[in-house]
Every structure is written in structure tokens, then in C-alpha cells.
């Protein structure tokens, strides 16, 4: 079930499973960034005359690439529960241009999307993406 949940793009997840998966991945992301950042950047820093240390950006990029697939899998399954194609995840590429066009932080838009996905009820019963996750849970 763990590999299906975080690696497969097939199936559906309920609102609760989505929230728990998203929160878990955010926590893992923070822990990985903290761990890799501590490894990549030495603890003792001496003044060297310049502040040209760009290691932190590479660490964050590496962690985001690692966490990207499981995060996509959870989002796609939630879209499937709403009877929407997972291809709508490509709309996430529009978040940065939209945020700059309306002058709102990217994180506000991301949190708004996460809130909407975690509050909208899924399709009752079977849909084209699989069985109802609430029926799987016995609700």
C-alpha cells in the first residue's frame, strides 16, 4: 500500500488520505532539506570576505526533485477522486506566472489549491478512476 500510495498514479484517495499524505510529504521535505543542508554546508564558518555560497539553493533543488514524484502521485489520486484527469497537474506550471500577474505569493496560491482539494468531497461510488476510497475504508 505504501508504494501504491506514493509511487502509483492510479486510483483514488479520500480527503483525509490526501491531507495526511501531503502533510507527511511536507514534513519529509523539511527534514531532508535540514539534513542535506547540514551536510552540504559546514557548521563552522569563518569570515572569508564574500557571501557567495550558493550550496543551499542546490540542496533545496535536489530535495524538491526527490519529493516531486510522491507529491505528484498524491495530488493525481486526489484529482481522480474528484473525477478529474490527473493531467490537470500540468496546470501547476501556471502557478508562478499567475502569482506574478496578480501579485500574490506563490505559497498563498499553493495553499489555496491544497485547501480546495482537501475540502471538496470526492465522487460518491465508482468513477472512471476506480472505487470509492470511503467504501475501501468502510465508511
Amino acid at each position: 500500500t505504501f508504494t501504491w500510495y506514493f509511487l502509483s498514479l492510479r486510483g483514488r484517495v479520500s480527503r483525509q488520505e490526501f491531507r495526511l499524505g501531503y502533510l507527511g510529504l511536507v514534513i519529509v521535505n523539511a527534514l531532508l532539506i535540514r539534513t542535506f543542508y547540514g551536510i552540504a554546508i559546514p557548521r563552522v564558518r569563518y569570515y572569508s570576505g564574500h557571501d557567495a555560497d550558493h550550496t543551499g539553493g542546490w540542496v533545496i533543488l535536489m530535495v524538491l526533485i526527490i519529493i516531486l514524484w510522491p507529491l505528484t502521485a498524491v495530488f493525481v489520486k486526489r484529482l481522480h477522486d474528484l473525477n478529474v484527469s490527473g493531467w490537470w497537474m500540468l496546470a501547476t506550471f501556471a502557478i508562478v506566472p499567475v502569482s506574478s500577474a496578480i501579485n500574490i505569493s506563490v505559497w498563498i496560491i499553493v495553499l489555496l489549491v491544497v485547501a480546495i482539494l482537501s475540502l471538496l468531497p470526492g465522487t460518491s461510488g465508482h468513477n472512471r478512476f476506480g472505487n470509492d476510497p470511503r467504501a475501501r475504508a468502510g465508511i
Side-chain angles (χ1 to χ4, degrees):
T1 330
F2 182 80
T3 56
W4 167 82
Y5 188 75
F6 288 113
L7 300 178
S8 173
L9 297 177
R10 298 182 184 268
R12 299 166 58 181
V13 293
S14 66
R15 291 179 284 186
Q16 181 181 10
E17 291 168 329
F18 172 73
R19 284 184 225 129
L20 291 173
Y22 181 76
L23 181 63
L25 287 171
V26 166
I27 291 170
V28 167
N29 191 17
L31 290 174
L32 286 175
I33 287 174
R34 180 73 174 159
T35 302
F36 288 148
Y37 199 76
I39 292 170
I41 298 176
R43 297 240 182 245
V44 179
R45 293 183 186 214
Y46 297 101
Y47 182 71
S48 63
H50 65 284
D51 294 328
D53 186 11
H54 301 289
T55 311
W58 288 104
V59 169
I60 292 171
L61 180 64
M62 183 176 67
V63 170
L64 289 176
I65 289 172
I66 291 170
I67 210 83
L68 185 66
W69 186 262
L71 193 62
T72 302
V74 171
F75 270 86
V76 166
K77 286 186 191 82
R78 183 64 192 138
L79 289 173
H80 286 175
D81 190 41
L82 298 169
N83 205 16
V84 175
S85 173
W87 287 103
W88 278 99
M89 273 298 294
L90 292 176
T92 57
F93 291 120
I95 290 178
V96 173
V98 167
S99 73
S100 64
I102 60 176
N103 201 19
I104 294 179
S105 173
V106 171
W107 298 112
I108 292 174
I109 295 175
V110 169
L111 290 176
L112 184 65
V113 168
V114 169
I116 289 171
L117 287 176
S118 45
L119 293 176
L120 285 176
T123 307
S124 295
H126 183 76
N127 72 12
R128 63 186 171 143
F129 299 107
N131 294 328
D132 192 348
R134 291 175 295 184
R136 182 180 67 230
I139 298 173

